[in-house]
């Protein structure tokens, strides 16, 4: 199970948060801060797994993250997930974003948080991996966007 | 109205959208909070408008603000409004907001039930999809209960997009509403073989999640997963399945054996690192589960370790990390294979990556031995010095202590070295683990008596230099060690060289800055030191020194009396008064030392952590029994205090009890002492422990002279290094000595402590000091029980549900009946099927079902016994002819009973015990080896032909050997018991292709005609029903010329009298004989082992031995019984004919591989025959199901209206069918290696279909 997906920038500003277990808002912010603190002090050439993070999870949970330019993509997962698999999944997610936004950058995420959520919803659902095939994800996202557009033009 | 709309849209033009909000926040960096609060005000205004577009926009902005940490739960109702918009655009915004901020405590959630249901059944797939996604985040128990049925319906949706989402969300539904698991599970299982890979992957995902928490309930799915594993190419699915197998193998070692080969193949073949890694992980899990009592899988271990080494050596830090992680799992069971890679792991300690260093540390923990402990710790100490950041340093510190103290200091050969390590560790600044070091010091000093002198000296130095440690008392956790130091110096003050100096050090004014609990220990132990000093000076004539000491205390203690800490104050004032009194006595020249010492006499021994819990309840004491009569309910309130008392009472009685048993106690103590004396590592501390030191046989151990210089003052080289050097020298010297005294040594070694069997021939390493380690005290007869650590709040506990039990009517998911059901699934049909039936009929059916259930239980136990026996035989066989293993497994396959009753359990067993041949090999070997068995085993000598066959195994059979076996298999049995299985499921799980076809059959099959019992004979008193020969066993798998058939007969008492003394007899034919107990004549009848009260039915089993199975048999028989009513009793009899069909000699044997089947057909050994059936107007799958059910076939492959089927007789004849249908005509082409058997089977099939 994936417990949370956090995207924040190099300064710890959240760009997308998605918890699959309920935490109150202030707790969510604390978790983001703690996670940022843990992740940001790590060099880029060290491994992408991190144990600890006392606020979220416990011994069974791991933080698996990737650092792209200005953004950290952090997945908090339990032991039922394959570590390397989740790393691949982050890659798939980022590549999907890249396709959907055409050369994605932090600004896209800043101004289109909702769209990023919709894309994420096609990848992970309720903490479980839904789809890993990028073409399938992109196709579904585009179909929904088209539907949205047709509704707008109806007006 | 129109104006309003126009106004609304104009307003919207000026509204901020999400982008504007974000931009605004970015432009107001200085007063962000203020800006956002004005935005929230705007949003509140927008939410008040009627225009849904405006509302949706507002909700979208709220979602963004929620991410920034603002509580937006106040808008929950507006979110629900937006969710219920008919436009997808807005609906999606609403659901997103809901998924971000709704939770179980959100009260508006209950308003959403109908909206969500509507969306779930929407014709637009994306409406459904959005609702499913949202629901997955905020599903509550109520929602789960109300919507479970709707979601279950969606699992069969035409669009894979919806199916996969519905499948995934079921996991959340199960968690919140565990009752839904059983009704939904069959469909979930079906989805494992969904044509869409996404849906399949989702189903695997869900089942893996479920199985991870309660693996035992999912063992029966192992064959299916195995098939998926060998067929799937989707790495995601593979990884999940392989992980799942990792969770299952500890429960079923046979599964592990089966897995090793395909997993090893995957390891060799895959290029995906993630898959490779998970395979290695699961192989490790398998090896762990097999490690007990399996011949070595050293090749697999080597492969794993070798692959892991490659990972660790990889430049990719991720692989390095994972390699170390997996390595630590191997370490637990196969330490030797890991220890050879010590170099690599020590290397990882220098890695720049902290995660990797921590993992390497974990590994080191398991790798130490007596030989390398000092070396490894030295390396770690170097890292401690180098380490940056307190977390890693603290981690190192705890690891050093863990490594040294593990398994009761097993690896420490020199405790002086360890004490100096601990002292060195006190130099760490800012560590949080002062208490850890302190407790180690205490533990070692208390338990290792020989070290006390050294420890006390070190502690005294520590106390003397306390100022070095307490630079910053408030923040510094290291001052905790002073607690230990003070206590050790006080308690073992007889070892102190200069107690006066230590006393002085403990009473320095600076001490008052220490934390209270440490001061308290200081004060108390100052008193102990005082006692020691007094005694030292008592002998001397000059009492001046003693009086000086008293004065010192009187001068210094008032400082502590003023302490704000209660305990310090109390102890100090108490001791101050005591010393003052002593001083008075001293001035009168009274000898007081003896009495003062008596204050602190007695030894303090460590108590084991769980000792209190483990005090056994003495025999004859019932803690739950009332001592006084319980007070009446009405007065309960007044009585409460008394009740509390009554509860405490037992403690008193217990102590009394033990006192009474003084003798017994003494005896036990003796026994324990003796036991400990024999245990090399736990030499019980005797008062004369010092004598052990110079006991014969130890003198050759060179006791190292240690320079007792103050470790803290040694500049440059750390203290413990000396020990390392000394140790090396000592070992070399010892080696040399040993060479000299090789002969002597041998006799001496016997007396010497034998080193624990660690790796690397550790006997060679003798400890530098003879040490006694005092064990922690436990109460006598401590209970070895371990506490259940499971978290009672774990939601997964509720999902520990037996999935193999048939569904009861009460278990269906709640369906809203007043709503017309648009989408009615086949499963619903099935569930609802029984409803229109008359209630009378149903209750009758239920009764019968129950009855059957009982019988099944009985049958199962019997069957298991037989199987056990069968296994025994086979094991013997395996021992004698290991090379025939594969073959005998084949025969086992033939012998596995196909009974529907415990089909699942036995099928799993069957699957597990079939040889783990790789698919390619199986193709070739399966048919040919099966054929070989026939010949070889027919030739095998008949070793025990006259073994009594158990007609009533419960009573007659109980050899010792068997009992042993029983014990062994008890666990397994229990497992099986849980797997009670539904009648008509019994073909579905064979794991072969047939499961697809038969699986679908199950769903639509009307059940009633599939009854297994038919009337045998009946009169006015009794009715006999015979099971349709579904019960065929071959008890002795190897004696093909004489097979056993078990017939189950139900006796039902139809009269209202008591039936007793029932005797069952059959006129034997040449071919078929009733098995009678040993010593009985050939015509004696068998007593039915029960009596029948009126209206009751029961079942008995009779074993027949059959020689030829190619012809059907008819046997005449008689049942005699006594009818006993109130007035009279009469003798009655009933004649019957037992019919053994050829079908009854067939066993459902799944044929996994079509190729093998085809080869068998091509082999030319089989003779053909065919059959045409006209006017069959039933669906093809019904037809197949009937053949499967009544004639014990399984489907090998089905293509449209054509199916190939396979079965095997108890004597190993292959029977193959090719069934084709075209409008009402069914043609069956059959092949078998025994033509007459085939002819008869075909006749029987014809009969079956002519009946309907």
């Amino acid at each position: 199970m994936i417990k949370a997906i956090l995207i924040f920038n190099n300064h710890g500003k959240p760009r997308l948060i998605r918890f699959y277990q309920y935490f109150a808002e202030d707790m969510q912010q604390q978790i983001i801060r703690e996670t940022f603190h843990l992740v940001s002090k790590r060099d880029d050439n060290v491994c992408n797994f991190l144990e600890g993070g006392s606020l979220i999870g416990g011994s069974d949970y791991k933080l698996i993250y990737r650092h792209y330019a200005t953004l950290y993509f952090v997945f908090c997962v339990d032991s039922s997930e394959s570590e390397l698999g989740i790393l691949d999944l982050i890659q798939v997610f980022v590549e999907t974003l890249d396709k959907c936004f055409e050369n994605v950058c932090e600004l896209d995420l800043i101004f289109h948080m909702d769209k990023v959520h919709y894309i994420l919803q096609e990848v992970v659902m309720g903490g479980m991996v839904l789809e890993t095939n990028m073409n399938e994800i992109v196709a579904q996202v585009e179909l929904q966007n088209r539907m949205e557009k047709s509704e707008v033009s109806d007006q | 109205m129109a104006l309003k709309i126009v106004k609304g849209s104009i307003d919207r033009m000026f509204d901020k959208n999400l982008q504007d909000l974000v931009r605004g926040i970015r432009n107001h960096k200085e007063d962000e909070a203020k800006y956002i609060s004005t935005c929230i005000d705007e949003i509140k205004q927008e939410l008040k408008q009627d225009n849904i577009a405006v509302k949706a926009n507002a909700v979208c902005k709220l979602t963004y603000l929620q991410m920034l940490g603002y509580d937006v739960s106040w808008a929950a109702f507006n979110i629900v409004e937006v969710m219920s918009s008919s436009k997808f655009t807005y609906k999606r915004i609403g659901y997103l907001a809901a998924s971000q901020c709704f939770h179980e405590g959100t009260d508006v959630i209950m308003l959403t039930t109908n909206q969500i249901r509507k969306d779930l059944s929407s014709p637009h797939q994306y409406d459904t999809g959005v609702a499913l996604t949202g629901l997955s985040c905020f599903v509550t128990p109520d929602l789960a209960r109300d919507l479970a049925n709707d979601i279950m319906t969606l699992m069969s949706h035409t669009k894979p997009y919806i199916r996969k989402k519905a499948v995934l969300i079921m996991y959340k539904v199960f968690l919140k509403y565990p009752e839904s698991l059983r009704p939904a599970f069959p469909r979930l299982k079906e989805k494992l073989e969904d044509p869409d890979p996404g849906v399949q992957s989702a189903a695997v995902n869900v089942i893996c999640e479920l199985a991870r928490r309660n693996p035992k309930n999912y063992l029966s799915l192992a064959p299916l997963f195995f098939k998926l594993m060998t067929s799937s190419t989707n790495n995601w699915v593979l990884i999940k399945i392989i992980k799942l197998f990792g969770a299952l193998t500890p429960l079923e070692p046979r599964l592990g054996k089966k897995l090793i080969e395909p997993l090893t193949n995957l390891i060799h073949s895959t290029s995906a690192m993630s898959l490779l890694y998970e395979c290695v992980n699961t192989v490790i899990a398998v090896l762990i589960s097999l490690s007990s009592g399996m011949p070595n899988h050293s090749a697999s271990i080597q492969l794993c370790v070798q692959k892991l080494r490659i990972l660790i050596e990889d430049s990719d830090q991720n692989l390095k990390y994972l390699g170390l992680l997996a390595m630590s799992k191997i370490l637990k069971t196969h330490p030797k294979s890991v220890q050879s890679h010590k170099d690599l792991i020590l290397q990882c300690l220098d890695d720049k990556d902290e995660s990797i260093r921590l993992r390497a540390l974990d590994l080191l923990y398991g790798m130490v031995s007596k030989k390398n402990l000092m070396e490894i710790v030295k390396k770690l100490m170097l890292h401690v010095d180098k380490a940056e950041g307190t977390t890693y340093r603290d981690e190192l510190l705890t690891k050093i202590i863990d490594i040294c103290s593990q398994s009761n200091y097993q690896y420490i050969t020199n405790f002086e070295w360890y004490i100096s390590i601990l002292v060195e560790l006190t130099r760490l600044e800012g560590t949080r683990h002062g208490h850890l070091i302190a407790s180690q010091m205490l533990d070692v000093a208390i338990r290792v008596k020989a070290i006390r002198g050294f420890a006390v000296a070190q502690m005294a130095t520590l106390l003397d230099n306390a100022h070095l440690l307490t630079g910053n008392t408030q923040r510094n956790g290291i001052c905790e060690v002073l607690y230990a130091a003070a206590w050790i110096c006080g308690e073992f003050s007889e070892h102190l060289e200069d107690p006066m100096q230590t006393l002085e050090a403990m009473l320095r004014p600076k001490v008052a800055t220490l934390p209270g609990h440490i001061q308290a220990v200081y004060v108390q132990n100052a008193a102990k030191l005082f006692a020691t000093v007094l005694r030292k000076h008592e002998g001397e004539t000059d009492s001046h020194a003693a009086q000086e000491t008293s004065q010192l205390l009187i001068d210094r203690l008032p400082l502590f009396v003023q302490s704000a800490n209660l305990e310090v104050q109390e102890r100090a004032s108490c001791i101050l008064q005591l010393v003052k009194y002593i001083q008075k006595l001293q001035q009168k020249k009274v000898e007081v030392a003896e009495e003062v010492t008596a204050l602190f006499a007695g030894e303090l021994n460590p108590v084991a952590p769980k000792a209190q819990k483990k005090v056994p309840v003495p025999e004859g004491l019932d803690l739950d029994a009332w001592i006084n009569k319980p007070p009446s309910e009405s007065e309960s309130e007044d009585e409460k205090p008394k009740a509390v008392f009554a509860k405490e009472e037992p403690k008193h009685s217990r102590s009394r009890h033990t006192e009474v048993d003084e003798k017994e106690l003494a005896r036990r103590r003796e026994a324990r002492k003796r036991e400990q004396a024999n245990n090399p590592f736990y030499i019980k501390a005797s008062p004369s422990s010092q004598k052990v030191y110079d006991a014969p046989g130890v003198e050759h151990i060179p006791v190292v002279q240690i320079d007792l210089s103050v470790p803290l003052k040694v500049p440059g080289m750390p203290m413990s290094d000396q020990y390392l050097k000394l140790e090396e020298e000592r070992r070399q010297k010892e080696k040399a000595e040993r060479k000299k005294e090789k002969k002597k040594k041998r006799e001496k070694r016997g007396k010497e402590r034998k080193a624990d069997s660690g790796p690397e021939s550790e006997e060679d390493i003798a400890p530098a000091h003879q040490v006694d380690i005092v064990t922690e005290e436990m109460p006598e007869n401590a209970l070895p029980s371990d506490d259940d650590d499971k978290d009672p709040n774990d939601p997964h506990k509720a999902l520990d549900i037996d999935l193999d039990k048939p569904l009861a009517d009460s278990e269906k998911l709640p369906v809203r009946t007043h709503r017309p059901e648009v989408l009615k699934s086949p499963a619903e049909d099935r569930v609802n099927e029984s409803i229109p039936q008359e209630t009378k009929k149903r209750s009758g059916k239920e009764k019968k079902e129950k009855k059957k259930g009982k019988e099944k239980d009985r049958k199962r136990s019997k069957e298991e016994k037989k199987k056990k026996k069968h296994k025994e035989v086979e094991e013997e066989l395996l021992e004698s002819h290991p090379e025939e293993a594969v073959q005998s497994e084949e025969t086992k396959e033939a012998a596995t009973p196909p009974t529907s009753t415990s089909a699942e359990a036995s099928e799993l067993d069957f699957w597990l015990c079939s040889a783990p041949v790789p698919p390619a090999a199986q193709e070739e070997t399966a048919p040919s080896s099966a054929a070989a068995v026939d010949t070889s085993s027919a030739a095998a000598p008949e070793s025990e032909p006259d073994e009594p066959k158990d007609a009533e195994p419960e009573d007659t059979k109980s050899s010792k050997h068997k009992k042993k076996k029983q014990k062994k298999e008890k666990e397994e049995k229990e497992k099986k018991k849980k797997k009670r299985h539904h009648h008509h499921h019994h073909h579905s799980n064979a794991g072969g292709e047939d499961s697809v076809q038969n699986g679908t059959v199950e769903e639509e099959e009307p059940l009633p005609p599939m009854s297994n019992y038919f009337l045998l004979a009946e009169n006015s008193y009794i009715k006999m029903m015979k099971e349709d020969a579904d019960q065929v066993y071959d008890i002795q798998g190897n004696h093909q010329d004489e097979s056993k058939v078990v017939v189950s007969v139900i006796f039902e008492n139809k009269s209202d009298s008591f039936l007793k003394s029932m005797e069952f007899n059959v006129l034997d034919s040449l071919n078929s004989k009733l098995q009678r107990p040993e010593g009985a004549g050939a015509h004696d009848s068998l007593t039915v082992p029960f009596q029948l009260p009126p209206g009751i039915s029961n079942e008995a089993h009779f074993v027949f031995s059959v020689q030829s199975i190619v012809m059907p048999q008819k046997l005449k028989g008689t049942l005699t019984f006594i009818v006993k009513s109130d007035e009279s009793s009469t003798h009655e009899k009933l004649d019957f004919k037992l019919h053994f069909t050829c079908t009854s000699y067939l066993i459902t044997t799944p044929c996994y591989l079509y190729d093998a089947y085809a080869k068998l057909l091509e082999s030319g050994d089989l003779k053909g025959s065919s059959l045409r059936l006209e006017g069959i107007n039933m669906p093809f799958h019904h037809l197949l199901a009937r053949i499967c059910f009544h004639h014990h076939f399984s489907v090998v492959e089905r293509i449209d209206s054509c199916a190939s089927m396979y079965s095997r007789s108890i004597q190993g004849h292959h029977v193959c069918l090719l069934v084709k249908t075209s409008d009402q005509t069914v043609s069956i082409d059959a092949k078998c290696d025994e033509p007459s058997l085939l002819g008869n089977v075909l006749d029987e099939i014809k009969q079956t279909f002519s009946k309907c």
Side-chain angles (χ1 to χ4, degrees), chain B residues 82-314:
Chain B
V82 176
M83 276 162 73
S84 53
S85 159
S86 59
K87 280 214 162 75
F88 171 73
T89 316
Y90 305 141
K91 192 185 286 297
R92 184 152 80 153
I93 292 172
Y95 271 105
L96 174 62
S99 68
Q100 288 292 77
C101 65
F102 282 12
H103 54 96
E104 271 187 35
T106 310
D107 43 9
V108 294
I109 276 195
M110 58 188 184
L111 302 177
T112 60
T113 315
N114 281 317
Q115 179 59 42
I116 296 172
R117 179 175 284 132
K118 211 176 106 194
D119 289 336
L120 290 182
S121 53
S122 158
H124 302 294
Q125 63 162 332
Y126 291 116
D127 285 352
T128 314
V130 152
L132 283 172
T133 308
L135 187 61
S136 72
C137 294
F138 57 79
V139 61
T140 62
D142 285 342
L143 281 177
R145 189 194 58 233
D146 294 340
L147 298 172
N149 197 59
D150 303 70
I151 298 170
M152 201 165 110
T153 314
L154 290 178
M155 280 164 75
S156 315
H157 199 273
T158 49
K159 295 251 169 56
Y161 178 75
I162 298 300
R163 282 210 301 275
K164 70 182 177 192
K165 288 197 169 195
V167 167
L168 268 194
I169 201 179
M170 274 324 270
Y171 177 64
K172 295 281 178 161
V173 173
F174 296 151
L175 279 183
K176 299 289 178 186
Y177 179 56
E179 289 86 340
S180 60
L181 177 56
R182 279 171 42 72
F185 194 72
R187 191 169 300 181
L188 183 60
K189 208 165 99 180
E190 223 176 274
K191 294 296 144 203
L192 284 176
E193 301 186 288
D194 196 279
D196 183 83
V199 182
Q200 194 186 37
S201 157
V204 169
N205 219 330
V206 170
I207 292 184
C208 288
E209 250 345 292
L210 289 168
R212 200 165 72 90
R213 310 292 181 147
N214 298 298
K216 64 176 187 310
N217 298 338
Y218 299 87
L219 258 182
S220 58
L221 290 181
L224 187 53
F225 276 116
F226 190 81
K227 197 184 133 210
L228 282 178
M229 183 178 83
T230 43
S231 61
S232 177
T233 50
N234 179 345
N235 280 354
W236 279 94
V237 170
L238 282 176
I239 286 175
K240 281 278 170 195
I241 293 174
I242 286 165
K243 265 186 166 284
L244 172 70
F245 276 131
L248 292 181
T249 41
L251 301 173
E252 180 54 271
R254 285 179 294 169
L255 177 63
K257 280 184 224 170
K258 214 177 162 75
L259 283 172
I260 286 238
E261 183 124 18
L263 285 179
T264 334
N265 290 342
L266 266 178
I267 289 177
H268 283 302
S269 64
T270 186
S271 58
M273 271 300 176
S274 46
L275 185 57
L276 171 91
Y277 173 69
E278 296 305 338
C279 285
V280 170
N281 249 334
T282 296
V283 169
I284 292 169
V286 167
L287 294 174
I288 289 172
S289 75
L290 292 180
S291 62
S292 53
M294 258 304 287
N296 49 5
H297 272 288
S298 53
S300 307
I301 298 166
Q302 278 315 313
L303 178 68
C304 287
V305 174
Q306 182 197 329
K307 285 281 171 187
L308 289 179
R309 188 171 173 117
I310 294 172
L311 289 186
I312 294 172
E313 282 172 336
D314 200 290

Side-chain angles (χ1 to χ4, degrees), chain B residues 523-566:
Chain B
V523 171
Q524 184 76 11
N525 286 287
K528 290 183 196 168
L529 279 176
F530 174 59
T532 317
V533 173
L534 276 190
R535 206 173 51 178
K536 214 172 174 183
H537 292 298
E538 199 94 293
E540 300 163 17
T541 44
D542 179 24
S543 65
H544 193 68
Q547 281 184 22
E548 246 177 31
T549 319
S550 310
Q551 194 54 47
L552 177 74
L553 276 152
I554 290 168
D555 289 346
R556 299 277 178 88
L557 279 176
L559 178 68
F560 296 101
V561 177
Q562 289 160 11
S563 168
N565 188 299
L566 257 187

Side-chain angles (χ1 to χ4, degrees), chain A residues 47-48 51 111 131 140 151, chain B residues 89 126 318 321 353 359:
Chain A
C47 77
N48 299 97
E51 283 144 278
F111 287 108
E131 184 60 68
Q140 296 296 351
E151 280 183 354
Chain B
T89 316
Y126 291 116
N318 292 327
Y321 172 89
D353 188 346
R359 289 266 71 90

Side-chain angles (χ1 to χ4, degrees), chain B residues 687-704:
Chain B
S688 59
S689 67
Q690 299 299 17
K691 280 180 198 160
V692 181
Y693 225 107
D694 29 55
V698 222
E699 56 284 63
H700 75 282
I701 300 177
V703 177
V704 185

Side-chain angles (χ1 to χ4, degrees), chain B residues 1179-1199:
Chain B
F1180 188 54
H1181 59 265
H1182 281 208
L1183 179 103
L1184 293 183
R1186 267 174 194 278
I1187 298 176
C1188 287
F1189 187 81
H1190 290 294
H1191 299 282
H1192 313 154
F1193 278 87
S1194 62
V1195 179
V1196 179
E1197 192 182 52
R1198 178 183 160 186
I1199 302 159

Side-chain angles (χ1 to χ4, degrees), chain B residues 969-983:
Chain B
E969 295 194 355
K970 214 174 176 181
E971 257 189 54
E972 206 173 309
K973 218 171 167 182
E974 267 161 19
K975 252 186 251 159
K976 280 184 201 160
K977 260 184 202 160
K978 282 182 196 154
K979 280 177 199 133
R980 196 171 306 165
H981 193 249
H982 203 248
H983 206 78

Side-chain angles (χ1 to χ4, degrees), chain B residues 126 205 427 432 539 671 734 736 756 792 803 816 846 880 997 1023 1239 1246:
Chain B
Y126 291 116
N205 219 330
R427 277 185 277 165
R432 285 180 294 116
E734 217 160 86
D756 273 63
L803 295 165
R816 289 209 319 173
E846 270 166 16
S880 50
Q997 287 88 358
K1023 189 167 146 188
K1246 197 172 176 179

